[in-house]
Structure formats: C-alpha cells, structure tokens
Amino acid sequence: MSDSTVSDPLAELSAAGVSVWLDDLSRELLAGGELEKLIADKHVVGVTTNPTIFASALSKGDRYSEQLRLLGGKGVSVDDAVFALTTDDVRAACQTLAPVHLHTDGTDGRVSIEVDPRLARDSDATIDQARKLWETVDQPNLLVKIPATHEGLTAITAVVAQGISVNVTLIFSLDRYRAVMDAYLTGLEQARSAGHDLARIHSVASFFVSRADTEVDRRLDALDTPEARALKGRAAIANARLAHQAYEHMAAGSRWEALAAAGARPQRPLWASTGVKNPAYPDTMYVSELVIAGTVNTMPGSTLTAFADHGTLAGGAPAADDYAASAAFFETLRRVGVDFADVTDILEREGLAKFEDSWTELAASVEREMRAVSADEPGPSRPSPKKSASGADLLAIYLNDHLSGATAGLELFRRAVQTQKGQEQGTTLVELAQAVEQDRDSLTQIMTDLGVSTDHAKVALGWIAEKAGRIKPNGHLFSRSPLSDVLELESMLLGVQAKAACWRVLRALADSDERLFAEHLDELLERAERQSAALEELRLAAAGPVFRSAQPSA
C-alpha cells in the first residue's frame, strides 16, 4: 500500500470542518512532548480540561512534586495550590498551541480551564474567579469554562461583556442551550457598548452528548418493551442535531447579523462527552455521527485513538429531514413514557455533583502530595527509606501490569460484544463489559489513592497487544473460526481471574494501609467472582457445539 492510500480519519474529519480538540491535559503530556505530537500527527487544535482531568493528571508521574514542595514550604492553602497547579498547566498548554491560534486567526489553538464547580450556583463568585483565571493565565487563547446553570447564565453575560472568552459547559437541554446563546449575544452587545474589540472575544458552547444515551437507555431498559428497546442509543445524536438546528436559527437572526457586522465571532457548538459509555455501541459513534462543519469535537484520548484507527465520517451536516426525524424521535420517546426534560435536569445535577466530587478529590490529592513531599525532605537523623521505596516501586510495577492487562481485557470484551450482537449471550457480555470498565476505573482510582503513577506507555502496549492479538490463526488467519468464541471467552475468564488475584493482594494490604478500603475491595472481589461464574457458563455453552462433532459416533 502506498503512502497516498493510507487512511487518516482525523485528517478527513478536520478537512470536513470539524475542529479536533483533546479532552485531557497533564504535566506529563506537556513535559513529555506528547501534546506537540498530537498537534503535529493527530490534527489536534485545542484542549479542554475539567476537575476530573486535573485530578487524574496529578497521578501521572512526579512532575508536580517540586512545585508542591515549594508551595507547601510557603504555607500555601490547598485551594491556592490547586489554582497554581492548574493555571500553570493551562498556561503552558496555551503556549504550546499558540502557533495554531495564530494560524487559525484565533479560532482554534484554544485551551479551557474551569472555574471552581462549587461556585456554580453563585453568579458573583463565578464572575470573580473567571476574571482571576483570565488574568492569571494571561494568554489570548484561553477559554474560561463556566457551567450553564441558571446562575451561570448571568456570569456568562458579565464575563463576555468584560472581553473574556468563554467555554460554556454542561449543556444538556435545548432550552438551556438557547439561553446560553442568548447570554452570549447579550454579553457581546454589552462588550460592544463598552468599547471592546468583539473580534477578540471567542466562545464555544459545550453540548454534552453521550450521557443523554446513558440515562435514556437506563429508563428504556426499565420499561422493557420492544418499542422502548428499539429507541436505545438514539437520544444523544438526535438531541445534538436539534441543538445544531437551534444554532442555525440563531445564526440566521438579525441580532447575530448585527453583531457579526461589528466583528463578533460565532459561539461554536462543541460536542463534549463524546466517549462511548456503552460498549455495545461503536466506539466512535459520537464523532462519526456529528461531522458538521464549524463545530468542535473534544475527545478523550481513547476516543481520539479509536477514531484515528477506524473512524468514519458517517454523518454530515443535518438536513431538514434529519431535524424532523430527530423531533419525531423525542415525540416517540415521550409517548413510551420517558420524560426527556427530567433526563436533562438529572444530567445537569449529576454533572455538577461529579465535578464537585472531582474537585474535592483533586484538593485531597494535592493535600496528600504536599504532605508526602514534605515528609520526603531529608533530615539529619532520618534514615534512608530504601526498603519501603523498593516495595513501593514493586507495587507500582505490579499495579501497572494489571492496568495494562485490564485495558487489553476491556478491548477484548468490547470486541466480543460487537461480534455477539443479536445472539443470546450478547446481553450478558454487554453487562460484563460495563462491569469490567468500572473495575478498570476502580483500579485507576486505587492507584491514585496509593500515589502510584500510571505508566501510559505500558497501558498503551496493552491496548496495542489486544489489537494485534486479533490476527491469530485459530484455524483461520484473518476471519473468525468456530474456535474464536471459545478462545475469546477463555481469555476473558483468565483476565477476570487475574483481576480477582489483584484484588486479593490489595485486600491483604488493606489491613495495614489506611489508603485502601477493605469493604470496597471485598465488593470488587465478589463482583469478579460473579463475572467468572458468568463467563464460565458462557464458555461451556460455546464449547459444547464446537467440540460435540468430535465425539465418536455410537
């Protein structure tokens, strides 16, 4: 195959007018040069962050330790330390993306940082912190993230009126999205009256996608009717398409036309939460189905990698028929008994709660790290902790090995779900895949609690190894053979048994390590045992028909 025929799905997505942004940031990503590589090789032109991302970032390597040691030595509060860490990372990312910002005349090359989510119900406090973030980072390509709560709408107008560029986040409903667009236009009008250069004010509206399917599907499963089941996996895309229709209506209005004539920049729709939560769905669906010029798609690293590997441009700009079909879908959803307004209300509350929890986790991690680096300061009579350091190193290797295996195992479960669609065992595999993903997340959190850094190269190798493992003879070189189901189920079973062994090791450590929670590990172990039993049942059911023909006839 010549280089000219090699597929580059991310290049095609970018050429279609979709800005590819990364929903991730860490000092490891910055200092290791990985962000530059993503910009150069994967067409990434922007970065978004949130409290969950920063909480995860702190567990990646030891690049924060020196700064935390200095801050701790100065007696800086935890909140001020969090502010310093996050603004420093975002400033560095802004500088890395500065050439993109210049090349695109300010449209892309953007980096977002979120106000403290605990302020989401306080307009004045949100405005104050947005201004502080803007002044502290002091980069023209910054976007300050403000949640789209009722109180947030007031803050959005106020900060835009001051000339601050904004990323409005946590948008789930069409009514709230229309209110967000109105808040932006009002802010621009006030900025124009105050003499600000409108061309320097930028904004995106982050419309959350996948979580709509998660909540709607849960309610459809509870209804458990054929009509309800037929609606699964369709709400998120339909909601996003109707959001784009609302954007088109705004852009065609005289109010926007007057602002555009004064140099204003449009508030681009940004598709957020585009990682697929249900392994039964294609892992790129929230990218492939929303290929709409003039929009942004911010992807977690796993979704970016998946789209680079096998993404397609399935859905273009919605037409009138698509909008009509989306509206008809929600009418059908209402008729079967799902109140979508209640869905979006719950999603907003859950989203805020999740970010608040992540902020609390981030603050706790910073506090632990500040205490830890202070404890590591050498003293005149303090012995060198060689033995405990060696044990910590071995534990890090052990847990990263299991995390790599968990990543490969999750990919195997997802592949099995796709190949078993429509078959009797398909539903069981979907439930198992979801549980396995939760277990991997639990392992990642345990590693964070233990201060164990994630070895991303090793985890990536686990993902690659599973991909390469698809090309196994098993009687056939590239196609599946009758043995494939049996061997896959045995591999999944062995993976779950290895996971249970890891939980047992950690459970034993929990008796002497207060950072580990025995009750949680007991629950994880019980869940692994249930998974093993379910996989053994599926394995035997698959093996019977394959090997029965080998039995001698009577």
Side-chain angles (χ1 to χ4, degrees):
M1 180 180 291
S2 67
D3 289 343
S4 61
T5 60
V6 173
S7 174
D8 188 347
L10 287 170
E12 295 170 10
L13 183 65
S14 181
V18 177
S19 292
V20 177
W21 289 11
L22 175 69
D23 194 28
D24 192 17
L25 184 65
S26 69
R27 198 159 293 184
E28 198 73 22
L29 191 72
L30 289 163
E34 186 62 26
L35 182 56
E36 286 99 330
K37 292 178 183 177
L38 291 171
I39 294 168
D41 301 336
K42 301 299 183 185
H43 311 279
V44 169
V45 293
V47 168
T48 50
T49 69
N50 60 47
T52 303
I53 286 170
F54 278 124
S56 173
L58 204 65
S59 69
K60 299 175 181 177
D62 57 0
R63 297 186 185 274
Y64 295 93
S65 297
E66 182 178 353
Q67 185 177 9
L68 285 170
R69 181 181 293 112
L70 292 172
L71 293 171
K74 293 177 180 178
V76 171
S77 70
V78 171
D79 280 351
D80 286 344
V82 169
F83 188 90
L85 294 178
T86 55
T87 53
D88 283 356
D89 278 6
V90 167
R91 184 185 304 105
C94 283
Q95 292 166 349
T96 300
L97 280 154
V100 177
H101 179 250
L102 180 64
H103 177 70
T104 61
D105 190 29
T107 298
D108 284 312
R110 295 275 161 184
V111 185
S112 298
I113 187 170
E114 187 156 351
V115 297
D116 184 335
R118 296 172 298 181
L119 307 178
R121 303 296 185 187
D122 187 333
S123 300
D124 290 340
T126 295
I127 294 166
D128 288 343
Q129 192 176 67
R131 187 186 304 111
K132 184 179 178 182
L133 288 167
W134 181 256
E135 293 171 350
T136 302
V137 175
D138 193 26
Q139 296 293 315
N141 49 337
L142 178 70
L143 293 173
V144 178
K145 289 179 80 172
I146 297 176
T149 59
H150 286 294
E151 298 81 359
L153 296 173
T154 301
I156 291 159
T157 294
V159 299
V160 169
Q162 296 174 30
I164 297 173
S165 297
V166 176
N167 176 346
V168 185
T169 189
L170 284 177
I171 307 172
F172 296 99
S173 74
L174 298 179
D175 286 344
R176 186 59 54 82
Y177 179 41
R178 294 186 185 99
V180 165
M181 290 189 286
D182 179 75
Y184 178 60
L185 296 182
T186 302
L188 288 176
E189 289 163 347
Q190 293 178 10
R192 180 180 57 187
S193 298
H196 288 288
D197 180 359
L198 298 190
R200 298 173 66 87
I201 303 172
H202 289 256
S203 184
V204 294
S206 295
F207 200 87
F208 278 51
V209 183
S210 68
R211 297 186 193 181
D213 273 342
T214 301
E215 179 63 20
V216 169
D217 285 1
R218 184 187 67 78
R219 299 185 184 206
L220 292 172
D221 283 336
L223 292 171
D224 197 25
T225 65
E227 186 178 20
R229 287 192 293 271
L231 298 175
K232 289 181 63 177
R234 296 169 56 191
I237 297 299
N239 197 34
R241 285 176 176 161
L242 291 177
H244 192 263
Q245 183 184 37
Y247 170 77
E248 288 184 330
H249 287 164
M250 180 281 300
S254 58
R255 189 180 178 194
W256 167 248
E257 289 176 352
L259 288 166
R265 305 292 189 112
Q267 184 186 55
R268 291 187 294 168
L270 179 150
W271 311 124
S273 183
T274 55
V276 175
K277 307 296 190 293
N278 188 336
Y281 300 154
D283 56 3
T284 61
M285 67 180 286
Y286 300 122
V287 182
S288 294
E289 297 293 335
L290 293 172
V291 182
I292 306 174
T295 65
V296 179
N297 197 305
T298 186
M299 310 175 208
S302 57
T303 302
L304 185 76
T305 300
F307 196 87
D309 179 61
H310 53 267
T312 60
L313 276 61
D321 288 348
D322 297 310
Y323 293 142
S326 295
F329 166 82
F330 283 107
E331 177 58 29
T332 304
L333 195 67
R334 182 197 62 76
R335 184 164 48 79
V336 301
V338 175
D339 182 351
F340 194 67
D342 183 62
V343 167
T344 56
D345 285 346
I346 284 178
L347 290 176
E348 179 180 301
R349 290 197 299 271
E350 289 181 346
L352 286 171
K354 180 180 179 182
F355 280 175
E356 286 186 25
D357 289 346
S358 294
W359 192 269
T360 301
E361 177 190 334
L362 172 60
S365 297
V366 166
E367 188 174 16
R368 282 197 303 268
E369 194 77 9
M370 290 172 78
R371 285 203 307 263
V373 295
S374 297
D376 286 340
E377 293 288 353
S381 61
R382 185 171 179 174
S384 176
K386 292 182 179 179
K387 185 175 293 185
S388 61
S390 175
D393 289 343
L394 291 173
L395 180 61
I397 294 170
Y398 177 77
L399 293 178
N400 270 292
D401 283 343
H402 274 281
L403 183 59
S404 177
T407 299
L410 179 58
E411 288 297 320
L412 180 58
F413 269 93
R414 286 172 170 167
R415 173 156 56 98
V417 166
Q418 294 298 322
T419 58
Q420 299 293 330
K421 272 185 177 178
Q423 300 187 35
E424 185 177 350
Q425 62 268 40
T427 301
T428 302
L429 283 172
V430 167
E431 294 172 352
L432 286 169
Q434 291 171 333
V436 166
E437 183 169 15
Q438 292 171 0
D439 289 346
R440 188 188 63 169
D441 292 343
S442 292
L443 177 56
T444 303
Q445 183 57 55
I446 289 170
M447 291 171 67
T448 299
D449 292 341
L450 291 172
V452 173
S453 300
T454 302
D455 185 340
H456 292 278
K458 181 176 287 188
V459 174
L461 284 174
W463 184 86
I464 293 168
E466 196 286 324
K467 300 290 185 187
R470 299 183 185 194
I471 310 175
K472 291 182 178 178
N474 296 345
H476 294 244
L477 186 55
F478 293 104
S479 62
R480 293 179 65 83
S481 79
L483 274 176
S484 297
D485 289 347
V486 178
L487 293 174
E488 279 185 350
L489 287 164
E490 289 190 350
S491 296
M492 288 186 279
L493 178 58
L494 289 171
V496 169
Q497 290 172 343
K499 175 173 62 181
C502 177
W503 298 148
R504 291 189 187 96
V505 168
L506 292 171
R507 178 62 181 85
L509 292 175
D511 291 335
S512 57
D513 193 329
E514 63 181 11
R515 297 172 299 175
L516 293 168
F517 299 95
E519 291 182 2
H520 184 214
L521 289 163
D522 287 338
E523 179 185 336
L524 290 171
L525 186 54
E526 289 176 10
R527 189 158 68 186
E529 290 169 350
R530 292 195 298 270
Q531 293 165 10
S532 293
L535 285 166
E536 177 66 3
E537 185 176 339
L538 291 177
R539 185 183 73 90
L540 293 176
V546 172
F547 300 123
R548 196 167 290 126
S549 59
Q551 297 175 354
S553 57

